[in-house]
Each structure stands twice: as structure tokens, then as C-alpha cells.
């Protein structure tokens, strides 16, 4: 039994911000059907043909990121420039629980499938759109990518060293996170529909989602009038709320090797001092948070000198054994291939052309209706005949005729 | 009507799961936060109202505990355990972040919980999951981001500087997002006729699959991405995408101009600003605009294409040197170029677009006689109401009404209070 068996999603999402959301639903058994454009060969989702690649083959069925984000979905092509293509989409919408997309605002409407049209096809349809600035408001026409969403929402600024340019996020954190909130929005709207019979539109603006992820900093501003743009901010890997010292990422032996240490309180400091086992760590003056906070620079310099020549995993063990939270900064190979805590996280999905490829799994375990990832992402139009047959009762010869007309 | 109206959630207070409870509470669930009688440790986290450290003035607690009711109950005592059982008997969702084995030792093993309530969805958030050799390792937000992968990709071109873990407790947030997606999936499953179940969320695993290319470049082609200032970590170095503007603030220029229409837009923007004649490279922009297409793989191979791409960067850098970050952001977007101002959180909060969309939400704090502006909804529902229905609870504020409703009467509560189990 799958958790979301029987839920049908008419899916126009792409990249990660949208595709990540419907990947979750598909892994729990929803029937997610990607609808792509046969004319431009699904090129709207640029990941279709982008690296990484499993071998020397290239093209729209070989993008490694696309495969990662679209496992367990099926894919059809539909030419929405044609009247027949529009008719078929209308029939698919009538049989869908939800329509999902993350185009720029207005794109689906231009094709004749805005929310009003969707609702006229199925009165209780759930429609979830996800774009950077949302479909309404002064910036509704603005375009974004993950890094721009992070910039405009405050997340880039809050990652960096004091008085330097922002370090930001070295990846599209808000594509992941926008996808998470989009998945929540779809589920919430489906729960709402299940209880009331009402469908609705959810207009997600990814920047707003990001803005909510720095709540205490915003309250410090609205309540205390203290902005985060001020000298000494952002404070790198230090922790002010809750206040912890030392708290940072320190160098370890080797090339670009690091360890994160979080000394939560005075008791942790006593444990740390035993690990450091050096005279400076025994000084009574640093046994209280007040003095450690005052002397933060000096303490970090001592920890750095101590950690620099030591193996990061050996230090992780020393601190963990002593009862202090610490973690080596793991490189991809270390956390994917050599970490016992991620052994069940990377399922192998079978892609029709690429073959068996490991992908990101789900970091959760359900006791009754767990996720399952076996099928790789759909090749372009791979399931056109199958889906039109199942959803619309078309026979193969009808689909063949549509193919000749350039509709699919 | 809210999507989760009538859904009862019991949340054991813990800073790493607080956002998960808030997300459900703001969507209308009746979330009861169970704190120890001494108060949740998060109450000691700053910043504080007027910088006065006090358990009722923690803005971290205020933000993460909106719309919840609060009960102060020491559930580890035998009397407290019974009270928690009574609460769970009527709950739909049980959200907790106790370390592996703690609940079972206190009498809340899986059998006891299902025996109590077979519809119960039990969401357990732990740093490394309930089993395996790392299950007892200690973790904080920082160590989760470091060990789980995000930090490896974030920082500066200069690798003598450490990787940077982004601010705002995103390591906890990632785990909470998966906890809520899980709870809602299980809840919809119940609505469709299914039963309750136990769900384990590994926060370390959650961080691992929130690293975009870092994981799948390794999985697919055994490539290792390298951190680069303010832009994507990639296997090889890429061009800078952050620019400092005339006012010293920064913008992110994202993907540089790469299509003929984008080069055309750039030329027009230069003309509007009256700067075109000051930029010798503008001629390459016009060449780019005039082409039928531009093949990205010709960069570095074809001289003309290389010059066109270089001129795109030059033009943006040049314009940035003349405009404030805000003017650059608005001008570029109006010219059709995807660019973002790098806002501090308060600047995003004050931006007129977000204000117009209702992101500043006033919440009454009657005890302090103040109205405080909070960040609004992460998504805009047409029908399901999102609301901060009440400010974070004071310690024990709803102990009496919540316990009364599950049959623990005044006399029983008085006895529990006398024993110090209740507040």
C-alpha cells in the first residue's frame, strides 16, 4: 500500500524548485505525469541535457540532474500550440487532482490554462504555482533563479564573514526549499479538498518562503529596531542565538579539511578543555560563557592552532566521546560512500536509457507506507501512449495518429 | 476555514523541531506544545524584547512557537507520563525530537503508542535516525550543516577561509520541512482511508539530500564540487556572479546574458541610462543581439562568441559601478535580466513587493501592550487560511484548559502541581 495511491498530478514543473516537490509525491505513490513540449524537446527544463552524465552520451534524455529530480514520474509530450493538444490537456486536467507548475508568472495562462480555465474544467482542482516573486504584486513580472531568490529573501546576506562580501549559498538552497514548501502546499490543499470538497489556487513566491527562514532576525528588527546589516555581521559560523563559544568551523590536517565544533554551555567547555588538554584551555577565566564571549577571537585562535594538525574524523570522535557536538565537514564522497548514517539514502533507479543510476532518496522512514524509488526519470515522451491509454482510454492507433499530426 | 482545522498535534518542545510545529499551527492545527515545568531551553535564546533576558521575552521562542497552545508538564515522571498518554490518546500527530531510546525508556514505545491510538501519526526527528552506529552522536544546527554536506559547498573562492554554514538555523529547518511533508503525507493517507504510523526523520540525511549538485555530481560521475564566492559550487571554477554596486551593497547577477534577446535588452538598458557611449564593449553586445543564436559551448573556442560573453559581464560590472544595488536590481529586472539585490533580512521584509503581498503580519501581544510585525505566510493559499492565531504561549498558559479537556480535573491537576509535575 502506498500513502498517496490514486492521487493524480498533471505536472508542468521543472528544474528543482518544482520537480523536487512532485518527486516527493511520486515516491509516495502519486501518479505524477510530466507534460512536456515535443517541439522544443522539453528544453524548458534545462536540466534535461545538462551535466552530470553517466557516460559519453549527451542530449535531452541524459541529464543527470533531471534524472535525480524526476524519478518515479511518467512523462508525455503534448503540443499546446495545436487545438488538439489543448483538447487533450483539458481532458487530462479533468482527471487530475492537482495541476503543478513553476513557470514564470503568466505562462500557463498564455497557453489557455490559467486558474480560471482549470477550474472551469474541474471545479475542485488544486492548482499550485511556484515562482520567485509570485503571480501578483509589483514584481510579478520579474524573473529568478535559485541564487536570485536567495539574494532577495535575505538568505545570501546571512551567510558570510563579517564585513566581507556575502558567501551566500553555494547551491540553489531555495530550489530545494521552495520544492519542500510546494510539496506541503499541494498536500495541504489536497487535505483541504478531501475535507471540504473545495479546490483552490496556491500562489507560491519562493522569495517569500525564503524570507520566513530568518524569523528571529526579523523580529529583532521589528521589535528592537536592530538591523542585521551592521558592522560585524553576518558573523560567519559563530552563534549568537543561542549564544555558544567556541562555535565554528576550524581547519584540520590535509587539503581543505575542516571540523565544526559547537560548545553549547559551560559544561561543554569543561569537556572541550579536557579534549584540548593544553594550558590555555584550563584557564579558569574561560569557564563561563560571559568571558568566552568576550574573548571569542582569542579562543578561536587557540582552537585553530590546536586543530590545524589533526585529522578531522579523529577530532570528531574525540569530541563526541567527550559529549560535545562536533562534525567533520564531509566531502561528497565521504558522506555518500563512507558514512553509515546514509547507507539507505541513495536508491538505485533504473532509467530506460542511462541504466541504473544512484539518486537522492528520502531522509525519512514510514513504518507502514514508506517511499519507494525504482524507476528513473522519464525519457521525453516515454509514457505518452501508456498514459493516454490509461487516463483517456485512447488506443495505440489513435496515439499514432496524434504523433503523425505533430500533437504528441 | 484552515486546511488543518481540528487536527490535534502534540509537540514535545525542542528547538530542532519547533519550526515543524509552527508550520502546522499557522495552517490551523491545534498544536499543544509540551514544555518542562522549568520552561523550554529555547526560552533562553536571544534576541530578547528590549534586550531584557526573560523566558517570556525570547524572540526566538516567539517566532517558532506562534499559534500554539502551551502546557508545562514533566512527562518523564510517572504521573506526568499518564498525563501525556491522555493527551496522545486524542491526538492525530505526535511530533517529538527526543534522542533515540528516550521515549521508549519513559514508557512511550511504539506498541504503547499504537495501543493508545491507532490513528496516531508519530513523527520522530533525530539527528541520525533511530538506529545505526551514529545514532547517539550529538548534533547542533552547525554540525548538521557541516557533516551533512551543505557547508562543503558554501564559502569563498579563497579556500584558506572556512566553509560557511548559512545563518538562521537552516540545518534544523531542513529537518523540519521533511517532518511536515511526512506528517501531511501520512495525514492525507489517513483521510484517504489509511491508518496512523511511525515516521522517522533523520536530520543528517535531510541535509545530505539538500545539497543539489554536490550529491548528484558524485553519484553520477564521481565529481567533487568546490565552493566559490556567492555562486554555485562546481567541479571547476566559474565566473563571479556577485557584483558590488556604487553604494557598497551587492547584487547577484545569476546566469549572465546568453541569448540574443538578452543582449538586446542589455543594450537598451545602457541606452536608457545614457551609458552606452561610455562602454567600448557595447559593440559586442550589439553583435550578440544581432545573431540568430549563440551556442554556449563556443565560449573560449569562437573568438566572437567569447567577446560577446565577456562584454555582457563588462557591461553589468560597469552599470553596477554607477547605480545603487536597489536601482541595479530594479533596472535589470525591468530590462528583462534576472538579477537580485542581496538584501539583509530586514530589507527583504521592508521591500514594497513583499509588503504589498502581505508579508508583514501584525500580532497583538496584550501582556506587553504591543503589536509586533511578524513575517507572513511562506505560501499564499486562496482558501485555506494561514494565520498567526495567537502569539507564542507563556509557560503553562494553557495547562488547565488542555488537561481539563482530556479528563484531568482540577483536583488531579492540583495534586500534579503539588508534586511539581505541572505548572
Amino acid at each position: 500500500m502506498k500513502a498517496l495511491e490514486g492521487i493524480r498530478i498533471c505536472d508542468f514543473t521543472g528544474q528543482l524548485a518544482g520537480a523536487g516537490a512532485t518527486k516527493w509525491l511520486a515516491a509516495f505513490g502519486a501518479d505524477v505525469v510530466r507534460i512536456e513540449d515535443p517541439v522544443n524537446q522539453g528544453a524548458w527544463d534545462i536540466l534535461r541535457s545538462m551535466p552530470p552524465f553517466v557516460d559519453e552520451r549527451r542530449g535531452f534524455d541524459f541529464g543527470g540532474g533531471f534524472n535525480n529530480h524526476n524519478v518515479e514520474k511518467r512523462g508525455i509530450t503534448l503540443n499546446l500550440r495545436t487545438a488538439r493538444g489543448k483538447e487533450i490537456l483539458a481532458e487530462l486536467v479533468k482527471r487530475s487532482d492537482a495541476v503543478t507548475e513553476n513557470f514564470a508568472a503568466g505562462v500557463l495562462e498564455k497557453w489557455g490554462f490559467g486558474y480560471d480555465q482549470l477550474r472551469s474544467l474541474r471545479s475542485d482542482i488544486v492548482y499550485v504555482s511556484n515562482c520567485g516573486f509570485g503571480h501578483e504584486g509589483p514584481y510579478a513580472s520579474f524573473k529568478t533563479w535559485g541564487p536570485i531568490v536567495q539574494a532577495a529573501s535575505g538568505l545570501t546576506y546571512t551567510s558570510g564573514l563579517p564585513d566581507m562580501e556575502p558567501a551566500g549559498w553555494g547551491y540553489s538552497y531555495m530550489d530545494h526549499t521552495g520544492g519542500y514548501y510546494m510539496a506541503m502546499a499541494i498536500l495541504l490543499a489536497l487535505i483541504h479538498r478531501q475535507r471540504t470538497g473545495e479546490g483552490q489556487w496556491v500562489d507560491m513566491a519562493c522569495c517569500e518562503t525564503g524570507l520566513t527562514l530568518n524569523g528571529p532576525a526579523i523580529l529583532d528588527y521589528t521589535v528592537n529596531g536592530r538591523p542585521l546589516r551592521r558592522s560585524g555581521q553576518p558573523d560567519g559560523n559563530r552563534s549568537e542565538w543561542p549564544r555558544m563559544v567556541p562555535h565554528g568551523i576550524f581547519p584540520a590536517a590535509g587539503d581543505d579539511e575542516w571540523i565544526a565544533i559547537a560548545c553549547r554551555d559551560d559544561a561543554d567547555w569543561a569537556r572541550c578543555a579536557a579534549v584540548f588538554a593544553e594550558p590555555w584551555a584550563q584557564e579558569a577565566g574561560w569557564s563561563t560563557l560571559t568571558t568566552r564571549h568576550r574573548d571569542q577571537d582569542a579562543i578561536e585562535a587557540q582552537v585553530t592552532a590546536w586543530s590545524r594538525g589533526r585529522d578531522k574524523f579523529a577530532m570528531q570522535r574525540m569530541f563526541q566521546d567527550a559529549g560535545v557536538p562536533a562534525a567533520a565537514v564531509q566531502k561528497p564522497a565521504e558522506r555518500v560512500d563512507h558514512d553509515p548514517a546514509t547507507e539507505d539514502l541513495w536508491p538505485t533507479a533504473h532509467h530506460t536509457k542511462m541504466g541504473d543510476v544512484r539518486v537522492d532518496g528520502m531522509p525519512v522512514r514510514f513504518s507502514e507506507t514508506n517511499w519507494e524509488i525504482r524507476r528513473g526519470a522519464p525519457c521525453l515522451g516515454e509514457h505518452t501512449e501508456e498514459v493516454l491509454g490509461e487516463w483517456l482510454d485512447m488506443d495505440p492507433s489513435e496515439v499514432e495518429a496524434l504523433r503523425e499530426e505533430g500533437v504528441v | 476555514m484552515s486546511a488543518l482545522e481540528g487536527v490535534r498535534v502534540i509537540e514535545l518542545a525542542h528547538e530542532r523541531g519547533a519550526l515543524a510545529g509552527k508550520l502546522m499551527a499557522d495552517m490551523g492545527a491545534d498544536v499543544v506544545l509540551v514544555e518542562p515545568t522549568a520552561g523550554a531551553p529555547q526560552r533562553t535564546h536571544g534576541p530578547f524584547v528590549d534586550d531584557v533576558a526573560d523566558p517570556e521575552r525570547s524572540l526566538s521562542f516567539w517566532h517558532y512557537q506562534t499559534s500554539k497552545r502551551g502546557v508545562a508538564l514533566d512527562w518523564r515522571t510517572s504521573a506526568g507520563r499518564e498525563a501525556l498518554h491522555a493527551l496522545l490518546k486524542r491526538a492525530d500527530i505526535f511530533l517529538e525530537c527526543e534522542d533515540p531510546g528516550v521515549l521508549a525508556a519513559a514508557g512511550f514505545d511504539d506498541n504503547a503508542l499504537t495501543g493508545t491510538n491507532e490513528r496516531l501519526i508519530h513523527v520522530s526527528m533525530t539527528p541520525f535516525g533511530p538506529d545505526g552506529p551514529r545514532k547517539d552522536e550529538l548534533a547542533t544546527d552547525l554540525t548538521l550543516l557541516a557533516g551533512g554536506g551543505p557547508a562543503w559547498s558554501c564559502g569563498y573562492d579563497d579556500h584558506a577561509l572556512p566553509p560557511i554554514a548559512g545563518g538562521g538555523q537552516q540545518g534544523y529547518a531542513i529537518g523540519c520541512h521533511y517532518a511536515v511533508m511526512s506528517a501531511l503525507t501520512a495525514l492525507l493517507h489517513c483521510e484517504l482511508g489509511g491508518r496512523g504510523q511511525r515516521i522517522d526523520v533523520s536530520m543528517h540525511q535531510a541535509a545530505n539530500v539538500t545539497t543539489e549538485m554536490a550529491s548528484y555530481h558524485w553519484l553520477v560521475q564521481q565529481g567533487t564540487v568546490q565552493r566559490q564566492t556567492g555562486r554555485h559550487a562546481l567541479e571547476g571554477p566559474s565566473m563571479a556572479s556577485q557584483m558590488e554596486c556604487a553604494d557598497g551593497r551587492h547584487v547577484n547577477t545569476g546566469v549572465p546574458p546568453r541569448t540574443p534577446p538578452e543582449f538586446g535588452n542589455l543594450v537598451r538598458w545602457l541606452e536608457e541610462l545614457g551609458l552606452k557611449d561610455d562602454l567600448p564593449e557595447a559593440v559586442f553586445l550589439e553583435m550578440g543581439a544581432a545573431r540568430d543564436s549563440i551556442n554556449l559551448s563556443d565560449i573560449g573556442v569562437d573568438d566572437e562568441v567569447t567577446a560577446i560573453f565577456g562584454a555582457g559581464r563588462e557591461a553589468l560590472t560597469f552599470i553596477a559601478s554607477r547605480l545603487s544595488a536597489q536601482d541595479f536590481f530594479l533596472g535589470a529586472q525591468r530590462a528583462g535580466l534576472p538579477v537580485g539585490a542581496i538584501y539583509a533580512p530586514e530589507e527583504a521584509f521592508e521591500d514594497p513587493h513583499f509588503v504589498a503581498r502581505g508579508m508583514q503580519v501584525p500580532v497583538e501581544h496584550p501582556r506587553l501592550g504591543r503589536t509586533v510585525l511578524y513575517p507572513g505566510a511562506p505560501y499564499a493559499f486562496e482558501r485555506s487560511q494561514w494565520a498567526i492565531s495567537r502569539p507564542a504561549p507563556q509557560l503553562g498558559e494553557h495547562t488547565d484548559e488542555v488537561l481539563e479537556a482530556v479528563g484531568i480535573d482540577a483536583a488531579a491537576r492540583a495534586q500534579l502541581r503539588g508534586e511539581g509535575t505541572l505548572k
Side-chain angles (χ1 to χ4, degrees), chain A residues 55 122 131 164 212 219 337 394 403:
Chain A
D55 52 29
R122 178 165 173 163
C131 63
M164 286 185 64
T212 66
L219 291 186
D337 287 341
M394 282 191 192
R403 195 163 310 214

Side-chain angles (χ1 to χ4, degrees), chain A residues 133 143 165 170-173 176 180-181 192 195 200 208 221 224 226 229 237 320 339 344 368-369, chain B residues 5 50-51 138 156 165 170 177 197 204-205 210 212 233 242 333 347 350 353 357 378 383-384:
Chain A
F133 286 100
K143 295 190 170 53
E165 74 172 302
Y171 59 97
S172 289
Y173 175 63
H176 276 290
Y180 300 155
Y181 279 85
H192 183 117
R195 300 172 141 213
Q200 63 182 314
E208 286 176 350
Y221 169 73
N224 294 323
R226 185 184 293 121
R229 189 182 293 277
N237 295 314
Q320 287 287 350
D339 182 344
D344 55 351
E368 305 300 319
T369 59
Chain B
E5 194 167 302
D50 303 334
D51 295 328
L138 300 163
Y156 294 93
Q170 306 306 322
H177 296 149
Q197 56 186 316
H204 174 67
Q205 289 195 346
T210 308
E212 206 192 357
Q242 261 172 206
Q333 284 282 4
E347 293 159 0
E350 295 286 14
H353 175 76
R357 284 176 55 96
R383 289 173 189 270
S384 306

Side-chain angles (χ1 to χ4, degrees), chain A residues 159 166-170, chain B residues 151-157 162-164 227-231:
Chain A
S159 172
W169 287 76
Chain B
W152 170 254
S153 296
C154 305
Y156 294 93
D157 293 329
I164 302 292
R227 63 187 183 277
Q228 312 192 30
T229 307
R231 60 193 189 278

